[in-house]
Amino acid sequence: QIEVMLQLMLSLGYVLLFGSAAPLIVPLCFLVFRIQVQASAMLLTECTRRPFPQRMAGIGVWCNVVQVLTAMGVVTNGFLIVHYGYAFAGTKITAKLTGCFLYCILAVILRACMNDLGPSQDSAVKLLEARRNRVLQVLSLKITEGLTGGGSDYKTFAGAARQAEEVEAAEWYKIGHFRTSMAMVSPR
């Protein structure tokens, strides 16, 4: 898994660090990135055994690597623009440093604006988490019933999920995200 992510980070790092110096190579790097992701998906789904499921917080430590690459890319691209750009040709070093500094500040402001525009978590992720929690609750209830020999009310375990009733009744076709994918299985 580390080897696969390392190959992806090398392509992404090249684009982030040197994309402005060689812009024609950027589509090729994204093509390599796409092929690598599809090859990894095929490897995981068809060629290897299913890994033991573990709860992960995303891509883990690689998020920090991407943040460092992004910051280094902004500084590198700022340097390349002021050092080789026509607008800064023949200017003093203070003008070049100011231009690089302003470029970095502009990049930070644009990143903050982009983070504010998009949602931090997709609604499908919330739905999948609600389903997972529901399955865990039912499993723990079944285990408890098996150990104690008694029954319990399912309503107490329904949780605060928005679609708790649909999840509890296994009416997946009523949940908006799965209307199109479950159209063939839904009762009419």
Side-chain angles (χ1 to χ4, degrees):
Q1 187 177 15
I2 291 173
E3 190 175 318
V4 171
M5 286 301 292
L6 183 62
Q7 290 173 354
L8 293 174
M9 288 301 125
L10 285 173
S11 322
L12 183 64
Y14 184 80
V15 168
L16 291 175
L17 292 174
F18 306 111
S20 65
L24 296 177
I25 202 74
V26 173
L28 293 175
C29 284
F30 284 131
L31 181 67
V32 167
F33 197 84
R34 169 84 183 206
I35 290 170
Q36 183 64 38
V37 168
Q38 287 185 337
S40 298
M42 188 185 78
L43 177 74
L44 286 175
T45 57
E46 296 179 14
C47 299
T48 60
R49 290 186 178 186
R50 188 176 201 178
F52 187 74
Q54 297 177 1
R55 188 164 185 85
M56 300 295 286
I59 58 173
V61 177
W62 292 105
C63 287
N64 298 333
V65 173
V66 170
Q67 289 176 353
V68 168
L69 279 174
T70 303
M72 288 174 54
V74 166
V75 173
T76 303
N77 286 325
F79 170 76
L80 291 174
I81 288 171
V82 299
H83 190 63
Y84 296 109
Y86 297 116
F88 291 96
T91 59
K92 294 183 179 181
I93 190 73
T94 54
K96 290 182 178 184
L97 286 175
T98 304
C100 186
F101 179 74
L102 290 176
Y103 176 80
C104 293
I105 295 296
L106 179 66
V108 168
I109 291 171
L110 286 174
R111 183 174 180 179
C113 291
M114 294 305 291
N115 286 341
D116 289 342
L117 289 177
S120 62
Q121 192 175 38
D122 189 24
S123 61
V125 172
K126 293 177 185 177
L127 177 63
L128 291 172
E129 284 179 355
R131 286 182 181 174
R132 177 183 170 84
N133 290 335
R134 177 67 184 145
V135 167
L136 290 174
Q137 290 168 352
V138 170
L139 286 175
S140 65
L141 177 67
K142 295 286 186 183
I143 291 171
T144 306
E145 286 177 359
L147 293 176
T148 61
S152 189
D153 187 356
Y154 281 106
K155 296 289 182 188
T156 58
F157 293 98
R162 231 177 53 206
Q163 294 97 354
E165 294 84 20
E166 287 86 358
V167 172
E168 183 177 359
E171 296 172 337
W172 310 115
Y173 60 92
K174 289 186 178 179
I175 299 173
H177 178 69
F178 289 95
R179 282 193 186 129
T180 57
S181 62
M182 298 296 289
M184 300 172 82
V185 225
S186 64
R188 301 272 178 202

